[in-house]
Amino acid sequence: MGRGGDEDVSEAYAMAQYLRDHGIPYDHILLEDKSLTTLENLQNSKSLIDARPGRKYTVLVTSNYHVYRALRYCRKIGLKCTGVGAHVAPYYWPSALIREFVAIHHEKKHLLLFLAGWAVTVLSLVLILFDMA
């Protein structure tokens, strides 16, 4: 992905450097550093992958809390892949889950299901309380 305002290098560059440091040849790495969002990153990555010849075996590696949403985007854009979640420090989980919750429920389908679930829950509680009275 691209580079955030508080980052010295792009995520793509940092990961490419990590791969090179661990023995992956430079010519085996495709760099996508233009995107600003997960969806843009996947769309740009799909273009890079589709432009290459041969059979494609794609693995999406991201933070473990982020795999679900990233794979939903992959399915949406037609990128067939497997998702692997990388370990995230426990102290980061609360803010990460809130961010993912908001991002997922930004989609209309999830928002409607969430609101319908709350409505059913509240209605059930009200009926139970009135039945007890």
Side-chain angles (χ1 to χ4, degrees), residues 3-123:
R3 188 173 95 190
D6 63 340
E7 298 172 327
D8 294 330
V9 298
S10 70
E11 291 178 18
Y13 179 83
M15 289 309 302
Q17 187 61 48
Y18 175 86
L19 292 171
R20 284 192 297 270
D21 291 347
H22 287 83
I24 304 298
Y26 183 76
D27 61 337
H28 288 191
I29 300 170
L30 299 176
L31 202 66
E32 192 293 295
D33 61 355
K34 305 293 184 238
S35 60
L36 298 177
T37 68
T38 299
L39 181 57
E40 283 180 11
N41 177 249
L42 293 168
Q43 290 169 327
N44 295 347
S45 295
K46 183 179 185 316
S47 295
L48 289 171
I49 293 165
D50 289 347
R52 308 278 296 187
R55 294 167 57 178
K56 277 75 170 182
Y57 298 99
T58 307
V59 177
L60 177 140
V61 180
T62 187
S63 305
N64 51 13
Y65 65 85
H66 188 53
V67 172
Y68 173 76
R69 183 164 57 104
L71 287 177
R72 284 184 51 82
Y73 289 156
C74 288
R75 190 167 81 185
K76 182 178 181 176
I77 65 172
L79 176 60
K80 294 180 182 177
C81 65
T82 298
V84 175
H87 175 74
V88 173
Y91 68 84
Y92 190 68
W93 268 90
S95 62
L97 289 178
I98 291 169
R99 188 180 94 187
E100 287 300 301
F101 180 86
V102 169
I104 289 169
H105 289 85
H106 184 70
E107 298 176 34
K108 281 185 184 178
K109 175 182 167 185
H110 274 273
L111 178 60
L112 292 174
L113 288 172
F114 176 74
L115 293 174
W118 268 104
V120 167
T121 301
V122 169
L123 181 60

